Amino acid sequence: MCIILVIVDLVEIKSKKGFKQMFDIYYNPLCNFAYSILRNSAKAEDIVQDVLMKIWEKRNDIEFNSNVKTYLFTSVRNKSFEYIRSEKSERAKISDYTLLQSRLGDDKIDKEATIMMMKEELNNSIRHLPPKCRDIFVLSKLQGLTYNEIAELKNISVKTVEAQMSIALRNLREKFKAKLDNEY
Amino acid sequence: MNIDSVIHNYLLSKESKEELRLLESWKEESKSNLEVLQALENNWNLLDEMKEYRAFDTPKAWEELSSNMVEEKEPKMEGEIKARKETKVFPLWKYAVAASVTLLVGLFVWNSVPSKGVGTASEPVGILTSVDDIITKDLEDGSSVWLNKSSALDISKFSKSNRSIALQAGEAFFQVESDKENPFSVDVSDFHITVVGTAFNVKKADQEVEIYVHEGVVSVSNGKRTVQLRAGDMITGNVDNFALFDKDNDNLVSWKSKKLVFKNTFLPEALKDISRHYGKIVELSPGAATDNCFISTEFRSETLEEVIEELKVLFQIKVSENEERIIITEINC
């Protein structure tokens, strides 16, 4: 079954330059989204590239609006589900396929896409933290280490860990502030 | 005191009373402070789900993709959609008055449905209406119409030489006698459907129209663009925003054929057809795993209760039910 959404024109993707802008914004979050469904990073990239290539080929027939995000995430979701269904052996591994189907239903895809875009932004913010501070932030928040464990691992005091975490927070805070200021 | 360390402690839920007071007054200083804190809080919670978020190689991917991208100078001209079974795309159909037209039709239908006279044809001249029963009507050109419950069809202008009909409300199935000289047309909302000889189903609900082709070819137009649908194709939506599905599912007209047929159908798909047919939602609770649930069976005169009984036998399901829906809480495939 194939589905076509009809959407209005806002995002200019008909030139290669405009298309690249869209690509740069969405490629990584879309890959992460596909990965969250497929648990296979190579396949996730394949699917996202297929979807984007199809859009490029059809760019003169499709008209986009602010729904471009929903359109992209919906397409990647559909392709990923299609793949799961076609690969019986792979599907067996994904015991929560139905759960995924309902979690990523048409009514929820928008929210899921927004969360994925937020994660992308957060990921970029973390990547741009000062290196020492980033290490500590990642160990703490992403690896789940306690401040004591980090202090021991890095051979620094717990106070230093706390101080670095504060710097990380200030950086993130300023980033969000700049972003909020831009939006209004 | 440093506000960042206060926020830090707050996010870790280990702020002191004094810190909390400080934070409250900082929040009230400006709207942007409040928003920044909210953004931080949201992101802080999001961080717990970020463990597997990674950076794919975007520049490399772009290199691969862009080498296959061809950029023509002239955009393609609009034309007939020829690529069957591939992605089919339509540009926007703009129609500013769509909403008001629909509203008018709605009022008119409400007035034209007779308050008594259950399931019999038309009181206002040339308007076929149904209430609690499905009715059928043979037209003078040899075509037949099935009208679903609570539907209204304007056949006042219909003749052998002018085969035009308008669906005002509800759902109708048309079995059209072939006559190449005089095309058969149906207007519904802002869609104009024309056929030569075929069978198709049209459903009008609130702001949405659904057109499903059972046999042959059907042209659908909004006055500006014409799209050809073939057997198995379905359009759903309004003129501004609609989707085309390659459905190939005759259970969509089960109200008329009075049978639901499943051949190795994925159960969640089958449940959609069952819900539509019986007018009550039957769905799976999110926790019910249906990976290997496929169903092959036929329902004809069964009640919904009997259908559920069969599902109990086939899949050992357990259900909970309220007025609107039946939820399958447990299933075993």
Side-chain angles (χ1 to χ4, degrees):
Chain A
M1 190 176 77
C2 55
I3 297 174
I4 308 93
L5 298 171
V6 180
I7 26 203
V8 228
D9 199 355
L10 263 191
V11 180
E12 206 289 292
I13 56 150
K14 290 185 177 145
S15 71
K16 211 164 176 171
K17 193 174 156 227
F19 193 86
K20 183 174 190 300
Q21 278 178 358
M22 180 184 81
F23 186 94
D24 285 343
I25 294 169
Y26 288 106
Y27 184 74
N28 201 49
L30 284 173
C31 286
N32 274 282
F33 178 64
Y35 179 80
S36 77
I37 299 171
L38 298 164
R39 304 272 144 213
N40 175 335
S41 52
K43 195 66 214 166
E45 284 201 85
D46 279 356
I47 280 177
V48 173
Q49 292 204 21
D50 278 357
V51 165
L52 289 165
M53 196 63 195
K54 277 262 155 58
I55 290 176
W56 172 255
E57 284 163 2
K58 303 271 176 189
R59 68 194 176 286
N60 292 320
D61 299 324
I62 309 179
E63 301 193 27
F64 277 110
N65 67 357
S66 49
N67 274 337
V68 61
K69 184 178 75 187
T70 311
Y71 181 85
L72 287 167
F73 278 86
T74 306
S75 304
V76 168
R77 178 202 64 187
N78 292 349
K79 280 272 165 217
S80 301
F81 283 170
E82 220 169 80
Y83 177 73
I84 288 176
R85 281 199 296 267
S86 70
E87 291 284 298
K88 284 238 159 82
S89 57
E90 283 294 312
R91 193 178 70 189
K93 285 184 217 154
I94 304 169
S95 59
D96 55 357
Y97 175 52
T98 313
L99 192 68
L100 269 174
Q101 276 195 314
S102 84
R103 189 167 66 79
L104 304 174
D106 284 343
D107 49 334
K108 304 192 187 83
I109 190 83
D110 240 348
K111 193 177 165 221
E112 199 60 32
T114 306
I115 289 176
M116 214 38 94
M117 295 309 289
M118 278 168 66
K119 285 184 178 176
E120 170 72 7
E121 212 172 282
L122 195 54
N123 198 46
N124 284 335
S125 307
I126 295 169
R127 273 217 325 246
H128 289 103
L129 288 172
K132 193 174 172 194
C133 169
R134 183 182 58 219
D135 281 358
I136 289 169
F137 191 85
V138 168
L139 283 173
S140 164
K141 275 314 285 181
L142 300 189
Q143 321 269 353
L145 267 61
T146 67
Y147 287 6
N148 280 324
E149 286 166 337
I150 297 171
E152 207 164 290
L153 185 76
K154 291 266 164 189
N155 208 11
I156 50 177
S157 71
V158 174
K159 275 261 169 271
T160 312
V161 176
E162 279 179 9
Q164 288 295 336
M165 286 296 283
S166 273
I167 295 171
L169 266 178
R170 187 173 67 231
N171 267 284
L172 294 180
R173 182 158 71 84
E174 275 160 9
K175 222 176 165 88
F176 296 143
K177 187 167 183 320
K179 194 180 173 304
L180 286 166
D181 288 346
N182 278 335
E183 281 174 12
Y184 296 107
Chain B
M1 193 179 283
N2 174 355
I3 191 69
D4 289 305
S5 74
V6 174
I7 293 175
H8 181 209
N9 286 339
Y10 171 73
L11 290 173
L12 295 174
S13 310
K14 55 177 208 180
E15 79 280 6
S16 67
K17 275 191 180 143
E18 195 202 340
E19 284 176 323
L20 191 61
R21 211 158 26 78
L22 252 163
L23 193 67
E24 287 302 324
S25 63
W26 181 77
K27 256 162 54 176
E28 276 161 26
E29 268 172 37
S30 73
K31 188 163 171 264
S32 91
N33 280 358
L34 179 68
E35 280 166 350
V36 167
L37 189 70
Q38 277 165 353
L40 272 173
E41 258 185 290
N42 289 340
N43 285 319
W44 196 259
N45 296 329
L46 203 60
L47 277 170
D48 294 331
E49 300 171 24
M50 289 272 300
K51 289 184 182 71
E52 62 180 39
Y53 200 92
R54 41 161 80 207
F56 287 85
D57 194 341
T58 306
K60 186 169 159 243
W62 173 253
E63 224 170 84
E64 283 171 23
L65 195 75
S66 63
S67 65
N68 295 320
M69 282 167 58
V70 188
E71 195 171 18
E72 327 92 355
K73 286 282 166 272
E74 284 292 306
K76 253 191 323 197
M77 293 300 291
E78 285 190 358
E80 285 303 307
I81 288 84
K82 293 210 180 85
R84 307 292 304 166
K85 307 283 171 196
E86 283 175 26
T87 315
K88 292 169 257 184
V89 182
F90 301 96
L92 175 72
W93 284 2
K94 278 188 181 130
Y95 218 70
V97 294
S100 58
V101 170
T102 312
L103 184 66
L104 279 174
V105 169
L107 285 171
F108 180 53
V109 170
W110 188 74
N111 284 327
S112 67
V113 173
S115 50
K116 47 187 179 179
V118 175
T120 51
S122 72
E123 272 163 33
V125 181
I127 310 254
L128 200 61
T129 59
S130 61
V131 183
D132 290 334
D133 288 306
I134 295 167
I135 58 177
T136 55
K137 167 99 181 158
D138 292 326
L139 301 165
E140 57 183 282
D141 68 331
S143 301
S144 306
V145 177
W146 283 256
L147 200 58
N148 203 350
K149 297 168 191 174
S150 315
S151 302
L153 194 67
D154 181 352
I155 52 171
S156 58
K157 294 191 192 107
F158 193 90
S159 69
K160 260 188 165 174
S161 57
N162 176 23
R163 303 199 293 165
S164 68
I165 283 181
L167 179 67
Q168 297 174 332
E171 184 168 20
F173 183 90
F174 303 89
Q175 178 79 54
V176 178
E177 195 59 30
S178 180
D179 178 358
K180 289 202 163 69
E181 303 286 299
N182 300 298
F184 186 102
S185 75
V186 177
D187 284 295
V188 54
S189 292
D190 303 308
F191 289 102
H192 182 71
I193 306 164
T194 46
V195 300
V196 179
T198 182
F200 63 105
N201 189 66
V202 182
K203 184 178 181 180
K204 179 175 186 292
D206 293 335
Q207 304 292 321
E208 293 231 321
V209 169
E210 179 195 294
I211 301 160
Y212 174 72
V213 182
H214 180 69
E215 280 169 30
V217 182
V218 168
S219 302
V220 182
S221 158
N222 76 325
K224 292 179 183 171
R225 254 331 267 284
T226 303
V227 178
Q228 300 244 308
L229 307 187
R230 293 180 198 201
D233 286 348
M234 179 176 92
I235 271 189
T236 165
N238 58 46
V239 277
D240 293 324
N241 195 343
F242 68 92
L244 175 70
F245 296 84
D246 182 3
K247 271 277 187 194
D248 202 11
N249 177 6
D250 282 342
N251 286 336
L252 290 168
V253 291
S254 63
W255 66 271
K256 181 245 160 198
S257 64
K258 299 203 166 59
K259 62 177 182 187
L260 283 166
V261 183
F262 301 111
K263 286 185 192 140
N264 212 13
T265 309
F266 188 43
L267 189 68
E269 299 295 327
L271 292 179
K272 283 183 196 163
D273 292 345
I274 291 170
S275 302
R276 178 182 166 115
H277 184 79
Y278 290 100
K280 180 162 185 169
I281 298 168
V282 183
E283 63 182 6
L284 291 149
S285 83
T290 52
D291 260 14
N292 300 307
C293 296
F294 293 89
I295 184 170
S296 296
T297 189
E298 243 183 81
F299 298 114
R300 283 172 185 271
S301 54
E302 282 84 350
T303 61
L304 182 54
E305 286 66 34
E306 287 164 340
V307 169
I308 297 296
E309 279 310 310
E310 180 161 345
L311 293 179
K312 280 183 182 162
V313 173
L314 288 173
F315 303 111
Q316 288 93 52
I317 59 164
K318 292 202 171 115
V319 298
S320 73
E321 180 169 4
N322 61 31
E323 264 177 34
E324 286 166 14
R325 57 189 71 211
I326 297 173
I327 298 162
I328 298 175
T329 51
E330 271 178 53
I331 189 159
N332 197 349
C333 300

